[in-house]
Amino acid sequence: MPDWLYVVVSIVVAAFVGGVTNHFAIKMLFHPRNPIHIGKFHVPFTPGLIPKRRDDIAESLGQVVAEYLVTAEGLQETIQRPVFRNKVEDTLLGFVDRIGSSELTVRQAALRVWSEAEFEALKSRLAAGIRETALRGFARLWEHADLSSLPVKRLVPGWSEGNRKAWSAALAVALLGVVEEELLSAGGQRMLSKMAAGMMDKAGGFLGTMAAIFMDEDKLVQKMTPALVQALRGEEAVNKTAQAIESRLELYGEKPVAELLALLTGEEALGWLGGKLEQLPLERWLEQADNIPLRSLVEPWKMQIAAFVPALTERLLRLVAKGIPTAMQAVDLPGLVEEQVQKFPVERLEEVILSVSGKEFRAITWLGVLLGGIIGLFQSLLLLWMG
């Protein structure tokens, strides 16, 4: 064989071997998928590298993602960036604008999220929750502020001697005005007639008999009414009534709230107030709110809400950042990544890697051809030189 042909054959054979070797080395990353046995003999290098080390790769990838790629510190830093904050603000403002221009009612909007039964159950739970929260909050306030022993005058704004006098005078005028209206009404006139008849019946004897004969009850009432009205309008009646009211206000102002409520209601103060809170018609109020347009709830406060959005965004992001470490521990990110990688089909993984690195793998194959050809060239020249 001529020397030049020997060199060419050596180069071609070595290049072919290098290319095939690299090609199969790449293929053996993914193939075969399962171990191969010949009888009891396990064929080496089966399955391929990635299928064989799939669990180890999944575990390592989970650790890498949790420790280096998706960390609590990285997420906290991300949500605190101005760009992220601005996106959140824009999203909230857009949501407010959509609600402010929406024609939907509260019920219609809710039924887009929940079913009819779920919405009704939600309203019931909401009413029960509001009632329970109000009762618990009021009981805590009652105990914390010691309202049971707090004097009434401490709870009434502007309680002073001058204000008590002014309040008493106003109440006296209003009270006497009500009495006057009642006396001048048909019912009041009938009451005066009964009073006059009773007075004549109780007089008895000769005077009572003479009064019953010569006096008409209706005429007596007609004469008594102007005198009573004039007396009610008199300064003396107003002053005495105001003094009586003022003395009562002073007396009640020194009493503890619990004692005064118990005196007025005949029940224990906290129990009575709790009963009144339980009687609030929350269910009826929520039913009435069903037909309220969303726009009417937002439009009057749109400017205030827009001004409040930056502060709300800051608080929300701070709250989210604070809860990220706990959330990541609860999620168990390494375990989650490991589980997802284990579920990921090897076939799909091969497609993904080849779609990304196919050119590089082909380059590696041709590099094997090149290196094999170079090795064949040097080998053939060396053998020719050695004779």
Side-chain angles (χ1 to χ4, degrees):
M1 177 185 297
D3 292 346
W4 65 268
L5 183 58
Y6 174 75
V7 172
V8 170
V9 171
S10 298
I11 293 174
V12 171
V13 171
F16 176 77
V17 171
V20 169
T21 301
N22 281 12
H23 175 75
F24 277 101
I26 294 171
K27 286 294 183 181
M28 288 178 65
L29 291 174
F30 306 97
H31 300 274
R33 311 283 192 208
N34 300 305
I36 298 175
H37 292 83
I38 300 176
K40 293 184 179 181
F41 177 72
H42 173 245
V43 178
F45 306 109
T46 62
L49 177 61
I50 290 179
K52 182 178 181 179
R53 304 299 299 274
R54 182 174 180 174
D55 292 342
D56 296 334
I57 293 172
E59 182 180 356
S60 299
L61 188 58
Q63 294 296 330
V64 169
V65 170
E67 294 179 6
Y68 301 101
L69 301 181
V70 184
T71 63
E73 294 78 8
L75 291 176
Q76 289 172 332
E77 181 183 353
T78 299
I79 66 174
Q80 292 296 336
R81 290 175 181 172
V83 175
F84 187 85
R85 185 183 296 109
N86 292 337
K87 289 183 179 179
V88 175
E89 289 183 11
D90 293 340
T91 302
L92 291 176
L93 290 173
F95 179 71
V96 172
D97 289 336
R98 288 195 299 274
I99 294 180
S101 58
S102 175
E103 297 294 334
L104 297 176
T105 63
V106 172
R107 185 178 188 83
Q108 290 171 339
L111 291 180
R112 291 191 171 188
V113 181
W114 299 285
S115 66
E116 184 82 24
E118 290 173 339
F119 181 53
E120 294 300 327
L122 176 64
K123 288 196 296 184
S124 299
R125 291 196 301 270
L126 180 60
I130 293 174
R131 187 174 285 111
E132 182 180 354
T133 302
L135 288 171
R136 189 184 298 115
F138 181 77
R140 186 173 299 175
L141 175 64
W142 182 273
E143 180 181 356
H144 180 73
D146 197 18
L147 295 179
S148 59
S149 60
L150 195 67
V152 173
K153 64 182 182 180
R154 294 276 300 276
L155 291 178
V156 180
W159 186 280
S160 64
E161 184 176 355
N163 285 337
R164 282 204 313 273
K165 289 183 180 296
W167 297 338
S168 301
L171 286 172
V173 172
L175 180 61
L176 293 176
V178 172
V179 174
E180 179 182 338
E181 290 179 5
E182 184 62 28
L183 288 177
L184 294 176
S185 66
Q189 294 296 296
R190 287 194 297 271
M191 181 187 66
L192 290 177
S193 298
K194 290 181 181 179
M195 291 176 59
M199 290 172 60
M200 288 186 290
D201 290 341
K202 289 181 181 179
F206 178 75
L207 291 176
T209 303
M210 294 298 293
I213 295 173
F214 294 103
M215 294 184 65
D216 185 3
E217 296 174 2
D218 293 336
K219 291 183 179 180
L220 179 61
V221 170
Q222 291 176 3
K223 291 184 178 182
M224 289 174 58
T225 301
L228 290 173
V229 170
Q230 185 176 2
L232 291 173
R233 293 177 179 178
E235 184 177 353
E236 182 178 0
V238 174
N239 291 337
K240 287 189 175 298
T241 305
Q243 289 174 2
I245 293 175
E246 184 180 358
S247 64
R248 285 294 178 181
L249 285 178
E250 186 175 359
L251 175 63
Y252 292 147
E254 297 295 335
K255 288 183 177 296
V257 174
E259 182 181 343
L260 180 60
L261 285 176
L263 179 65
L264 294 175
T265 63
E267 301 178 24
E268 191 268 331
L270 185 58
W272 181 81
L273 290 170
K276 294 301 180 183
L277 285 175
E278 287 183 345
Q279 294 174 8
L280 290 176
L282 296 175
E283 290 81 3
R284 179 164 58 84
W285 292 347
L286 290 175
E287 287 291 338
Q288 293 173 350
D290 279 358
N291 298 321
I292 297 176
L294 289 175
R295 183 181 63 250
S296 65
L297 296 176
V298 175
E299 193 63 32
W301 307 96
K302 194 170 182 179
M303 297 299 296
Q304 291 85 340
I305 294 174
F308 181 66
V309 163
L312 176 62
T313 302
E314 183 68 27
R315 293 182 183 180
L316 285 175
L317 293 181
R318 192 181 303 125
L319 182 63
V320 171
K322 186 177 180 180
I324 282 177
T326 304
M328 292 189 66
Q329 289 180 357
V331 169
D332 185 20
L333 187 59
L336 179 62
V337 173
E338 180 179 352
E339 180 181 352
Q340 295 302 315
V341 172
Q342 289 174 344
K343 291 180 179 179
F344 199 77
V346 177
E347 297 83 355
R348 179 58 180 159
L349 179 61
E350 181 180 2
E351 292 178 7
V352 172
I353 294 177
L354 291 178
S355 65
V356 174
S357 304
K359 293 182 179 179
E360 286 76 11
F361 284 160
R362 285 192 294 273
I364 292 173
T365 301
W366 286 109
L367 180 61
V369 172
L370 177 62
L371 291 177
I374 294 173
I375 292 172
L377 174 62
F378 277 102
Q379 181 181 1
S380 61
L381 293 177
L382 179 62
L383 291 176
L384 290 173
W385 178 70
M386 294 176 64

